[in-house]
DNA sequence: CCTGGTTTGTTGTATGGATGAACTTATGCG
DNA sequence: CGCATAAGTTCATCCATACAACAAACCAGG
């Protein structure tokens, strides 16, 4: 295995094919061949040749020419083909399971989420159910001639590489699960595996790229579901780390002495004391607020909105802990923004003040480049979209791996 | 400014020129043209053409053919040219200042380090002195026909991009220093600026690449000089973050409550209480050990070797704090190794046990991929080498930017 | 010492993708 | 209706690499 491949003639086409397709997929409005040429620096002739290939491969579609306001031959707008090339995003989380099918244009073609309680569930059974769900969603579109380029499965735990196994998902109670094996698929059709926070962050990065009002492209995405996960996004790209285990922020130690104590592990779920989850995890907040352990985030929010003193105090503590932990993260990876997703997004009004205070105080570079706090924009169940996007991304990055173009 | 450049014919040559040069520079033994062809996948004809260009540009030198043991025409060994293409590494730190000149082969061509106390020094004066030192070291080699491709300056603080300004260097007492302006050079000849830990880590990464016995290529490098800096290395490449401010681990909060207290800032140098530097910074350790504030690391080590109880206790605390802080870092960036440099390397025997204990306990992925602790191998004043290497690296990565090849 | 085998490095010719200029197509405008 | 304008296409040219044949430099063995 060599570090870098040599550049041949064919590398030019691969590179430029990807460049052109990325432009079509990422453009806010459908660009013409001439637009792409101007934006990429390629000549119109070259762009035309490449676009023709992409159209033949059904990755790009031509829209009917729209009569422009100005003089000259009207342009042919190009957009990512919809409905022809699909990817499936799957997710198993603590209290739901779902599948979402996206096409290359990023449109949701089909979707289903089923709520249930998967704590301590049997992996084999759950995965069978998920697999059936995915197949069911995809079947009608495959019958229509669409092609599925791949699927990815988001899990709330540590996945070893994209082929698995799943090492541990604490809140599901799963350990060392050979997901791909249990699904009984051959390697080509097995889903890729990924961490829920990492994949959700991918959806968030896309949402921000499409709405570039103030969307910083480098941020820490915090995914507060039952545990607290995070992901790091740099210039719009997920930072996976060596094994795909980056962003495990829930176990950040914020109180060395408490963490060192041999005291019985706190409350319900067995957080190590002194860690972020023991301050800002959903059950930790509920416990401190004096609410029942099975209360929802909305209950928590209502209680806070109503001005309940214990709840407000619990959220103040959570916000402060989150601020300290994220300040540590920002000091290490140097990003410009914190994006709150999941449960923390719901509670943002009560978390923001202590969070921003601690960020301003703890981030050493804050005086020159303040860290903004924002709420996620990727919509509900972002990991479903992120999982599907991860497989579409592979096609967009290097279209020549996609069958019809590998001539 | 577009995100990605289009690939033209010339891009092929740029890419392959870099590929070939990297091979020559990184190879443990001088490779022949045929070796490079086999290793890169290019043909011998292409490699020959590229090597000829590199030789003409004085980046690569041919060694006299050595009679091989086997049959066939003997190979012409190639190595990075020595003495023709130079880069200068500069550094100002708390108690020394220095310059080191490297050639493309990575050999030290000239070097000088002057010990002094630069706390609260005048930036203009210090930089003049450093500039003079650099020029003095370089002059004789330029007279011999060598070319200086650039210089870089390592500083123990926050540098805003490579062109400055220096935002803050707490231990020097410098704030908002326009380093390039003070040196009065035009932009082309001004040194690039970098953080001391980041540049030292670059030297460390190279040292490990050349000695690939067990050298993990992804690690956190901890640079304990007077403050505690760190840098993240992924697959041999420095991870700079958005502004080059990654790895600021010294201000990691390890005790939320202590950090929140409004108590007068601790002891001598003004660490925020509850942060890593307040446990594992050199002066914090000295204070806890009951040693004078101006004692050296060697004094500390001797005291520990002699079995002094307070010193051992102070080092136990420091090791534990370092372990907790680095566990947090590893959880976020997912690297496989911790490399101790600077003062912490000297104390490794006394730090290792608590450090490894906390890493094993705090790193969530440790059961599947334990985090090894190792000592730096880059030799004394690694930031000097790293700074010079950073400029040589630019030439190696893209030789076609180098004058003689830009035809 | 010469001949055959072997590996290195070089010298052609062929290939394929991008370029750039000229051309065709399709519109708006006076 | 003719002209200006812009989009998309055609075609000759360029250029870095591949491929194959060749020259160079060594070893071995009779």
């Amino acid at each position: 295995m060599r570090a870098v491949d040599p550049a041949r003639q064919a590398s030019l086409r691969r590179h430029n094919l990807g460049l052109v397709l990325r432009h079509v997929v990422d453009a806010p409005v459908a660009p013409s061949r001439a637009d792409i040429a101007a934006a990429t620096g390629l000549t119109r002739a070259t762009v035309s040749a490449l676009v023709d290939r992409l159209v033949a491969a059904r990755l790009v579609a031509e829209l009917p020419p729209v009569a422009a306001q100005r003089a000259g031959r009207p342009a042919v707008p190009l957009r990512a083909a919809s409905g022809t090339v699909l990817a499936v995003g799957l997710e198993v989380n603590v209290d739901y399971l779902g599948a979402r099918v996206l096409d290359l244009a990023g449109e949701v073609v089909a979707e289903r989420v089923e709520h249930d309680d998967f704590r301590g569930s049997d992996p084999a059974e759950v995965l069978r159910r998920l697999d059936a769900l995915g197949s069911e969603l995809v079947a009608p579109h495959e019958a229509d001639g669409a092609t599925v380029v791949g699927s990815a499965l988001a899990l709330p735990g540590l996945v070893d590489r994209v082929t698995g196994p799943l090492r541990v998902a604490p809140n599901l109670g799963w350990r060392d699960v050979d997901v791909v094996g249990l699904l009984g698929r051959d390697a080509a059709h097995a889903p890729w595996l990924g961490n829920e926070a990492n994949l959700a962050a991918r959806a968030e990065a896309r949402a921000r790229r499409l709405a570039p009002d103030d969307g910083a492209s480098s941020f820490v995405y915090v995914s507060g579901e039952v545990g607290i996960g995070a992901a790091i996004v740099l210039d719009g790209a997920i930072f996976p780390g060596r094994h795909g285990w980056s962003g495990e922020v829930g176990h950040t130690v914020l109180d060395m002495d408490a963490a060192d104590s041999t005291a019985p592990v706190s409350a319900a779920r067995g957080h190590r004391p002194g860690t972020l989850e023991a301050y800002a995890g959903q059950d930790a907040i509920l416990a401190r607020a004096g609410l029942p352990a099975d209360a929802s985030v909305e209950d928590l929010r209502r209680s806070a909105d109503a001005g309940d003193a214990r709840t407000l105090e619990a959220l103040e503590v959570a916000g402060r802990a989150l601020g300290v932990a994220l300040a540590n993260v920002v000091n290490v990876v140097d990003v410009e923004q914190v994006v709150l997703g999941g449960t923390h997004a719901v509670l943002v009004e009560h978390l923001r003040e202590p969070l921003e205070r601690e960020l301003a105080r703890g981030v050493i570079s804050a005086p020159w480049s303040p860290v903004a706090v924002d709420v996620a924009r990727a919509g509900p169940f972002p990991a479903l979209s992120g999982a599907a996007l991860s497989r579409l991304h592979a096609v967009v990055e290097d279209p020549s791996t996609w069958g019809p173009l590998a001539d």
Side-chain angles (χ1 to χ4, degrees), chain A:
Chain A
M1 193 182 89
R2 69 181 76 99
V4 183
D5 285 324
R8 317 166 186 293
Q9 294 288 106
S11 314
L12 289 186
R13 199 182 58 196
R14 283 174 45 136
H15 180 102
N16 288 334
L17 214 45
L19 185 64
V20 169
L21 182 54
R22 272 199 300 280
H23 242 271
V24 174
V25 169
D26 289 344
V29 303
S32 67
R33 291 168 169 81
D35 292 337
I36 298 172
T40 59
L42 295 165
T43 62
R44 294 202 311 269
T46 306
V47 171
S48 268
L50 294 171
V51 166
D52 290 349
R53 277 172 184 274
L54 292 171
V55 170
R58 302 205 309 165
L59 292 172
V60 165
E62 296 185 320
L63 295 178
V66 54
Q69 260 46 336
R70 55 166 191 266
R73 173 175 172 176
V76 179
L78 302 169
R79 39 163 292 178
S82 52
T84 60
V85 172
L86 308 177
V88 184
L90 304 165
E91 181 177 4
V92 177
N93 216 312
V94 174
D95 46 12
Y96 63 93
L97 147 171
R100 185 177 281 162
V101 183
L102 297 187
D103 64 16
L104 202 59
E107 299 298 319
V108 176
V109 167
E111 162 169 1
R112 184 133 95 243
V113 173
E114 299 181 356
H115 294 268
D116 204 334
D117 185 353
F118 296 106
R119 295 163 214 251
S121 56
D122 173 30
E125 189 188 327
V126 174
L127 291 171
R128 263 197 306 276
R129 180 170 159 190
L130 185 70
D131 196 35
L133 179 58
S135 304
E136 200 178 321
L137 285 185
V138 155
H141 298 96
E142 281 192 312
D144 276 2
T147 317
V148 175
V149 296
S151 62
L153 167 55
L155 291 164
L158 281 190
V159 173
D160 204 339
R161 311 258 52 146
V162 293
T163 53
L166 170 71
R167 292 303 187 184
V168 59
N171 294 313
L172 292 177
W174 293 9
R175 280 187 79 89
D176 292 307
V177 177
D178 175 18
V179 175
V180 173
L182 284 178
L183 284 171
R185 303 282 197 87
D186 56 303
H189 293 100
W192 286 31
L193 307 181
N195 174 268
E196 176 264 333
N198 273 27
L199 291 171
R202 188 181 283 272
E204 183 64 25
R206 183 185 147 90
R208 275 158 199 276
R209 196 167 55 242
L210 295 183
D213 47 314
D214 67 331
S217 57
S218 298
F219 55 89
V220 189
Y221 176 82
V222 179
S223 171
E225 301 288 335
V226 170
I228 300 180
I232 294 151
V233 178
L234 297 161
D235 273 327
I238 306 296
F239 171 81
R242 186 80 181 148
H243 311 85
W245 297 340
S246 66
E248 287 298 331
V249 85
H251 303 80
T252 297
V253 172
L254 299 177
D255 187 335
M256 237 174 88
D257 296 330
D260 206 40
S261 76
T262 50
V265 177
S266 87
R269 200 145 305 289
H271 306 305
R272 183 177 171 197
T275 63
L276 177 60
E277 286 186 355
Y279 296 101
Q282 187 172 334
D283 43 3
I285 300 177
L286 288 174
R288 203 169 310 232
L291 293 173
D294 60 348
S296 71
V297 200
E298 279 72 24
D299 295 333
L300 199 52
R301 185 204 183 138
R302 269 189 294 274
S303 172
D305 287 346
D308 177 73
R310 286 185 66 188
T311 304
L312 291 176
E313 164 66 15
L315 289 173
E316 159 77 20
V317 169
R320 226 171 56 202
L322 211 50
V324 170
L326 292 176
N328 289 350
V329 173
V330 173
N331 276 331
V332 169
V333 296
D334 179 24
V335 294
E336 49 195 320
Q337 201 170 38
V338 167
V339 176
L340 297 181
T343 55
H344 292 121
V346 178
L347 302 169
V348 65
E349 283 164 47
H350 305 283
L351 295 172
R352 173 170 256 131
E353 199 220 300
L355 179 51
E356 288 184 339
R357 190 175 63 232
E358 291 299 333
L359 284 171
R361 189 155 69 152
V363 174
I364 186 174
S365 60
W368 302 277
S369 175
V371 182
V373 174
D374 199 2
V375 176
R377 308 176 183 176
F381 307 110
L384 285 178
S385 291
L389 286 170
S390 73
R391 307 307 298 124
L392 292 173
H393 183 75
V395 175
V396 173
E397 274 304 302
D398 190 358
S400 61
T401 58
W402 169 237
L405 284 167
D407 44 329

